[in-house]
Amino acid sequence: VSGGDGFADDGFTVAVAGLGLIGGSLARDLSAHGVRVLGYDADRAALDAALGDGVIAAALGDDWSGLEAADALVLAVPVRAAEAMLRDALPRLGRARLVTDAGSTKARIVAQAARLGIGGRFVGAHPLAGCTRSGWAASRAGLFDGATVYLTPSDESSPEAVGLARSMWTAVGGTVVQMAAEEHDRLLAWTSHLPQLLSSAFGAALAGEGVARDLLGPGGQSVARLAASSPDVWRDILADNAANVVDALAGLERQLADVRAAVESGDAEAIRAWLEMGREWGAREA
Amino acid sequence: VSGGDGFADDGFTVAVAGLGLIGGSLARDLSAHGVRVLGYDADRAALDAALGDGVIAAALGDDWSGLEAADALVLAVPVRAAEAMLRDALPRLGRARLVTDAGSTKARIVAQAARLGIGGRFVGAHPLAGCTRSGWAASRAGLFDGATVYLTPSDESSPEAVGLARSMWTAVGGTVVQMAAEEHDRLLAWTSHLPQLLSSAFGAALAGEGVARDLLGPGGQSVARLAASSPDVWRDILADNAANVVDALAGLERQLADVRAAVESGDAEAIRAWLEMGREWGAREA
């Protein structure tokens, strides 16, 4: 990394709280870029592994001791935990010019930062790099390569904090897309939370029918993949984004009711027309 | 191929009607195994390509001329088209000891074979090897390698026909699973037709919201993949299997209504318990 935006400076120090899939992968990439990384994880084994692998230079204490040395703090924990962590870390934030997170919903954590009086330094972030595996063992270099990373600065966020957040996520390979936290949460209800619910509903329905996953063909497996995601992580996301999630679910249920009516009445052309809506949309390859 | 079950004999001739993804791939594999393959496709360009590539030894005429030389006939066309084809091909079936198909639903085509008086020679088949691409250009050697192939012989089916069908699908790498046609159609409504509908519904819902497919992360893409499938192929499948599909849809809609109620009421533990059903099912890796 080179340039004069702070993030590239010698000795720039980033504290990463939560060394799971996202935090662990970020710590690996930042450390490989010459950034000094401090780490914290409630799971001592993960912390020791990150120290042992040389990914983090030092561990923060349970009381956030050591955080004073950080130029930036990244909270890479589930969304509810991030709110509590932000409050607890506050007294030790010291010189940090950027406080950010990696959670899947943004409105609540942005509001929490404002409440705590650190809205100027806070820039919410959400890298689209989740997968069904989690923990330090699932983390890897290059996870964010080519991934969309949403940044949701508020009106309060300082240009310096926004610049640092952009530099950090760009340095690890992410493509930064900026939008308001509320807009993010509405969009993600459709693009991320809804497919998680469809995959989980598919799993729950087949479990109820006694149909095992290995009876699926390649197409069914692709729809089933997300069902294996962590219920703890997703409970928080869905609860946090309840109103938007309910809208998206209701929209999807209307589609299913439409096609069920067409199938029930044996109206082949109505079935075809309904399928065509999804095909037109889906044919635009990502 | 070796052995004395007929399929392995020198000069054994298989006619494949429909040289799309399934028929074209089957023709490629059979031909590579030394089977003499006759081909037919309503699309003259596909037929010429299969002849030019040396995959088929000769083309059948539009009036099914040439079919008399076939020891087996495979109808690899959408389910409704297969019913009409079977009727039209009947006068030329000649010495064929196996008549089979590759359609996604089985009860109707099995009934049609019985109606036409060829129930003894008919063994319905369904290889789980579809994908969203189609046509001769999408066909490839090895498509069935490791794929489940459902065989749905009726009480009428001769042991010889069943043996030939098993030999053929096993020779091209398939894992044969035998069950009654009605049981197949009930199972596939859940394992195949339902995920297609979920993916299409997801696409239709996002299209309605104006959310483009390239805004999805990896998880959303995985759920969206099937939305690109052919509406013509799926219209027929869904119309054919209407009663089972309606049952599966209703089961899925109950799951979505349950989770929507939990999210709406902010009941985090109910959300978690609901997600856990899908996770337990999905964690059993295929």
Side-chain angles (χ1 to χ4, degrees), chain B residues 2-138:
Chain B
S2 68
D5 60 2
F7 177 71
D9 295 348
D10 266 1
F12 192 86
T13 301
V14 176
V16 178
L19 296 167
L21 172 72
I22 300 292
S25 299
L26 182 64
R28 286 176 193 276
D29 285 348
L30 290 175
S31 157
H33 275 81
V35 171
R36 181 175 154 82
V37 181
L38 309 176
Y40 176 74
D41 200 289
D43 173 9
R44 185 73 220 184
L47 202 52
D48 287 344
L51 280 165
D53 293 351
V55 170
I56 64 172
L60 300 174
D62 283 326
D63 62 352
W64 295 95
S65 55
L67 181 61
E68 298 86 348
D71 298 295
L73 167 63
V74 183
L75 302 168
V77 294
V79 286
R80 294 275 161 117
E83 286 189 67
M85 271 195 169
L86 196 53
R87 187 193 59 221
D88 296 345
L90 194 59
R92 306 268 197 176
L93 266 180
R95 73 184 194 203
R97 287 170 285 158
L98 168 65
V99 179
T100 182
D101 74 324
S104 298
T105 56
K106 302 267 58 84
R108 275 182 74 121
I109 191 76
V110 167
Q112 168 78 334
R115 250 190 324 267
L116 296 172
I118 55 164
R121 291 188 269 177
F122 192 84
V123 180
H126 176 206
L128 277 194
C131 80
T132 57
R133 296 178 315 127
S134 59
W136 171 257

Side-chain angles (χ1 to χ4, degrees), chain A residues 19 47 72-74 100-101 130 165 191 213 221 235 250 267 270 283 285:
Chain A
L19 296 167
L47 203 52
L73 168 63
V74 182
T100 182
D101 75 325
T191 61
R213 184 171 170 185
Q221 291 294 349
R235 172 198 53 202
D267 185 342
E285 281 294 336

Side-chain angles (χ1 to χ4, degrees), chain B residues 176-259:
Chain B
V176 167
V177 176
Q178 212 167 300
M179 62 178 66
E182 293 70 23
E183 190 189 344
H184 168 276
D185 290 358
R186 207 158 42 234
L187 178 64
L188 272 284
W190 292 91
T191 60
S192 168
H193 311 169
L194 183 58
Q196 175 61 51
L197 288 166
L198 289 181
S199 195
S200 293
F202 181 49
L206 267 66
E209 280 293 300
V211 176
R213 185 171 170 186
D214 63 4
L215 289 172
L216 303 182
Q221 290 294 349
S222 158
V223 171
R225 195 169 70 78
L226 295 177
S229 298
S230 159
D232 293 319
V233 169
W234 279 95
R235 172 198 54 201
D236 288 3
I237 296 171
L238 299 169
D240 247 29
N241 202 23
N244 292 315
V245 165
V246 165
D247 281 352
L249 272 173
L252 199 288
E253 288 175 87
R254 279 191 297 275
Q255 293 296 341
L256 290 182
D258 283 354
V259 72

Side-chain angles (χ1 to χ4, degrees), chain A residues 213 222 253 260 272 282, chain B residues 213 222 232 253 260 272 282:
Chain A
R213 184 171 170 185
S222 156
E253 288 175 270
R260 182 163 47 80
R272 199 199 171 289
Chain B
R213 185 171 170 186
S222 158
D232 293 319
E253 288 175 87
R260 182 162 48 80
R272 199 199 170 289

